[in-house]
Amino acid sequence: MFTSFPTRLLAAGLMLAATAGAWALTPAAGAPELSLYIPGSQSNDPAFGFLVGNTTVANALCVDNATTTGAGTTTHIYFYTPSTADKAVNDQYSAIYCNTDDTKIPGLTGGSGAHHTTRLWISRRRLGASFVGLDAVANGTLLTYLKDPTAAVCSAFNGSYSSGGSTFQWNYSCTKASPGITATAATSDVTADVFRGVDNVTPGFADIDANSLNNKFALGGHIIGTPVTLKLRNALQYAQIQSGSLPGTCTVGDESAVCVPSLSKEILVSLFSGTIIDWSTLQVKVGGVAKDLTQVVADGVTAGVSGLSNPLDSIVHICRRENGAGQQVALLASVLKSPCLGGDSSPKLVEPGGFNDVQYATSLGAVDNCLKDFNDGTNSWFGTTNPAPFPNPPATSTPHGNQWAISIQTTERNASRGANYRFIKIDGALPTGEQVYLGHYPLVGEYALSWKNNVSANQNKALLALKDYSSLPSTIVSRNGTLSNHSWGQAGYIALSANGHTPPATWSAANPVTPYTRSLNGAPDACAIPVVNPDYATVELR
């Protein structure tokens, strides 16, 4: 099935294949008795039981946790590869095959034994992100998935894939994705009510009618950041040290919380709507004299300040996401208030063709590489292609490097600082759970699970169990690990008091429940301005 392998990988694959018969549940064990096809955002992936950094962070539905060797468990992870077994990744298609029962899914029927033990296939599709998933459920669009462990043509192979500063492990490599499959439910970085309007809808598709979704649940708060290229972070940092906005004890390159530079919400709106097209627009008062950002940096370069360099140009470079990408929709709803205000009151997201430089980065990894290339002059994203209808990145021959760019990205990436970009503050607040809890940090998407009533009884019960488990503060705590633990604090996720969880009187990382809610009327509303939840009526004043 596969062509040539490196000797070490071939040996590992053959050894695994030889021992696969000892596993309690394999593709040979029979067809799944319960299948869930769930497209959309990666925001809730850990709750399905996928391995992150060799560890099962959370596990809503499977009786056993997966292991990196596939031994001693009935749960196994499947990644897709169009190439050889060792090249499998989770960027497109992935799945989990496991045993479940009524201790994990209350009310489950069928299966075998006293607890209705059932073979469960959870098939995930990340292609197209949030909008494509919601469209599949709301509008019935058929999509491509790993259909089942046999149809997907899978071979036993333990592997590990690196992305965004972490690793993701799998036990089977699969080479065939099947089209024409109906979605069971969808995950999204933001609730379905704001996937409408040009900026929030994939071109050629209709708006999402949230009222058509019988079941819509906000699971938790996903803390999203505005990363900038490392050299831009250093420029902002130096300028704000010089102006007194940051402490004089800070130095360029300091990664501590107190030394992270900040942009106001209004400046971010102006950047992402295209009314600021040049970084020289930003003015700084140094020693009583107003200078633009590039001038302040030039003075620092002349003074020999380490970590500073004059940029190739002063144009604002933006690595934006494709229309309908959930984290960008969160930015639009939370910061630009689009489509919430409607008409001309909501600024439109900037498109290519203006005096700034707007580029499409159509995945989380593409955002990483777009920022990296603008900073370093590398060709990880330059010279690649985007899915239609989005324009491709510039050719590798386009001069680039040492340029100042900004984007949108989950705070679950680059905590290791392996890529040359950094997150910044908004209005002086860091993208941490603590700052969200205090009501200071605004860019939070309430990631969601949505489905219609056309699913089977057991599918509905499984989705309700997944929803309940995913929203627990203890599940949120288990997810807030090294993947989102930055030098300036713990980012990642926060639990919602709207889901019936009591917020602590003062911040507690062990019980990260926000006292604010967007669901005063009983339904998720991404356009709502968060207010103190009247069911608990306490909030920390700080």
Side-chain angles (χ1 to χ4, degrees), residues 91 243 303 311 314 485 490 528 530 534:
D91 291 346
S243 69
S314 59
N485 190 14
Q490 182 69 58

Side-chain angles (χ1 to χ4, degrees), residues 300-542:
V301 171
T302 300
V305 176
S306 178
L308 293 181
S309 59
N310 291 313
L312 180 66
D313 54 55
S314 59
I315 297 170
V316 170
H317 300 274
I318 297 177
C319 301
R320 59 158 288 177
R321 290 294 304 274
E322 70 276 28
N323 300 47
Q327 292 166 31
Q328 184 167 272
V329 173
L331 174 81
L332 284 158
S334 300
V335 179
L336 278 74
K337 304 309 295 179
S338 174
C340 307
L341 297 178
D344 294 332
S345 299
S346 295
K348 303 303 179 187
L349 190 64
V350 66
E351 296 276 355
F355 292 104
N356 50 8
D357 177 30
V358 181
Q359 301 290 342
Y360 282 93
T362 58
S363 69
L364 302 181
V367 169
D368 286 352
N369 289 331
C370 181
L371 292 170
K372 174 176 176 283
D373 285 1
F374 273 122
N375 191 83
D376 300 345
T378 48
N379 292 313
S380 299
W381 172 81
F382 273 72
T384 59
T385 59
N386 282 330
F390 304 106
N392 290 329
T396 56
S397 58
T398 303
H400 61 283
N402 196 21
Q403 292 163 299
W404 295 349
I406 188 169
S407 189
I408 311 126
Q409 183 66 292
T410 172
T411 53
E412 280 194 300
R413 295 182 81 87
N414 206 34
S416 64
R417 303 193 298 278
N420 280 338
Y421 69 82
R422 299 291 187 271
F423 293 98
I424 59 173
K425 298 174 182 174
I426 299 177
D427 285 336
L430 285 160
T432 62
E434 182 174 17
Q435 291 297 302
V436 173
Y437 167 87
L438 294 170
H440 296 167
Y441 187 78
L443 185 43
V444 182
E446 293 189 352
Y447 62 102
L449 183 67
S450 305
W451 70 95
K452 286 188 171 183
N453 285 342
N454 59 355
V455 300
S456 72
N458 275 347
Q459 285 175 325
N460 191 65
K461 292 168 186 175
L463 293 171
L464 288 171
L466 174 63
K467 178 265 297 185
D468 289 342
Y469 177 89
S470 300
S471 67
L472 291 172
S474 57
T475 302
I476 302 292
V477 169
S478 70
R479 299 189 59 182
N480 288 338
T482 56
L483 202 60
S484 56
N485 190 14
H486 297 260
S487 60
W488 34 259
Q490 182 69 58
Y493 299 88
I494 191 164
L496 305 177
S497 58
N499 286 333
H501 307 302
T502 303
T506 57
W507 167 248
S508 169
N511 185 31
V513 182
T514 174
Y516 297 93
T517 181
R518 288 188 171 110
S519 302
L520 276 180
N521 296 321
D525 183 357
C527 284
I529 297 173
V531 297
V532 173
N533 191 329
D535 293 340
Y536 304 100
T538 62
V539 63
E540 182 176 354
L541 179 63
R542 185 171 13 136

